[in-house]
Amino acid sequence: NAGVMQNPRHLVRRRGQEARLRCSPMKGHSHVYWYRQLPEEGLKFMVYLQKENIIDESGMPKERFSAEFPKEGPSILRIQQVVRGDSAAYFCASSPLTSGTDTQYFGPGTRLTVL
Amino acid sequence: GENVEQHPSTLSVQEGDSAVIKCTYSDSASNYFPWYKQELGKRPQLIIDIRSNVGEKKDQRIAVTLNKTAKHFSLHITETQPEDSAVYFCTYAGGTSYGKLTFGQGTILTVHP
């Protein structure tokens, strides 16, 4: 039973480029969460999605960031026109969410470096 | 808004000693309190969780206590081992934080052999 998958594991972009991060939830999980972790800090919630729906995007910057979780395929976190401050580890987690507080299982993360 | 204070930020113990990490949260409607362990460069991994209908839960050397009145919850690790060295995060969900986890700042635990 594969866990949460994320790719790429490492991503290097120059300022102004686009970064596209992918997350495949665990089998049977239809809810995905994205978190950002700056160096030596805790994880900060960004967005919570179900298939084809954004449930809560209160933690996502209003500009340059977008997320989707299509009916088929992985969830994608997209960062347009990256800046150095976007350098961080981006983790996604998934849950079956039958109760609203189900356990979230994390992927290995994508480490984004903006040059 | 949602907030959780975690203490201490660093904790150094000798192998075999106990370690205690404490957290205080703000949303009184929260009802799910998981703890995650993160080793350097790795993903957060769930080590134990507790729901608001119980006050204490134990799993071998790890225990968690919850005081909903005071909005405190704590992680206790007994008989610590060097492989327990990692960053530990308290989190909570439920209430106004439906679905999403709010993380504490983390505690760097170092267990000296």
Side-chain angles (χ1 to χ4, degrees), chain A residues 35 37 101 103-104 106-107 111, chain B residues 36 38 41 43 51 99 101:
Chain A
Y35 296 85
Q37 186 175 34
T101 52
T103 299
Q104 293 184 24
F106 282 82
R111 279 147 187 85
Chain B
Y36 285 85
Q38 187 179 31
R43 74 186 77 192
R51 297 181 188 275
L101 293 173

Side-chain angles (χ1 to χ4, degrees), chain A residues 3-4 9 33 35 37 40-45 48 56 58 91 97 99-108 111, chain B residues 31-32 36 38 40-46 49 51 89 93-106:
Chain A
V4 179
R9 296 290 305 277
Y33 312 80
Y35 296 85
Q37 186 175 34
E40 299 184 10
E41 292 190 9
L43 282 75
K44 296 284 194 294
F45 168 79
Y48 160 30
D56 181 353
S58 59
F91 289 95
L97 204 71
S99 69
T101 52
D102 284 337
T103 299
Q104 293 184 24
Y105 297 90
F106 282 82
R111 279 147 187 85
Chain B
N31 55 10
Y32 177 53
Y36 285 85
Q38 187 179 31
L40 188 64
K42 301 288 183 62
R43 74 186 77 192
Q45 290 195 303
L46 179 74
D49 57 13
R51 297 181 188 275
F89 292 100
T96 57
S97 301
Y98 185 89
K100 70 184 185 189
L101 293 173
T102 298
F103 279 74
Q105 299 88 342

Side-chain angles (χ1 to χ4, degrees), chain A residues 79-91:
Chain A
I79 311 172
Q80 294 179 292
Q81 300 173 357
V82 296
V83 301
R84 289 222 174 102
D86 296 332
S87 295
Y90 292 82
F91 289 95

Side-chain angles (χ1 to χ4, degrees), chain B residues 37-72:
Chain B
K37 173 184 179 182
Q38 187 179 31
E39 296 176 356
L40 188 64
K42 301 288 183 62
R43 74 186 77 192
Q45 290 195 303
L46 179 74
I47 55 171
I48 194 168
D49 57 13
I50 191 168
R51 297 181 188 275
S52 59
N53 56 344
V54 298
E56 184 173 357
K57 183 177 178 181
K58 190 172 181 180
D59 182 4
Q60 298 184 341
R61 297 187 296 110
I62 296 174
V64 58
T65 59
L66 172 64
N67 182 331
K68 284 218 76 179
T69 303
K71 291 189 279 187
H72 290 167

Side-chain angles (χ1 to χ4, degrees), chain A residues 25-104:
Chain A
M26 286 178 71
K27 188 176 180 181
H29 289 190
S30 56
H31 301 264
V32 166
Y33 312 80
W34 286 92
Y35 296 85
R36 177 165 62 177
Q37 186 175 34
L38 295 171
E40 299 184 10
E41 292 190 9
L43 282 75
K44 296 284 194 294
F45 168 79
M46 298 182 74
V47 62
Y48 160 30
L49 310 104
Q50 294 178 20
K51 288 278 187 183
E52 300 184 282
N53 281 306
I54 296 175
I55 306 303
D56 181 353
E57 56 182 349
S58 59
M60 197 131 83
K62 294 287 185 280
E63 296 181 356
R64 302 188 299 108
F65 286 73
S66 63
E68 63 177 6
F69 189 15
K71 187 176 180 181
E72 301 292 336
S75 174
I76 295 176
L77 179 67
R78 185 178 173 212
I79 311 172
Q80 294 179 292
Q81 300 173 357
V82 296
V83 301
R84 289 222 174 102
D86 296 332
S87 295
Y90 292 82
F91 289 95
C92 82
S94 73
S95 75
L97 204 71
T98 55
S99 69
T101 52
D102 284 337
T103 299
Q104 293 184 24

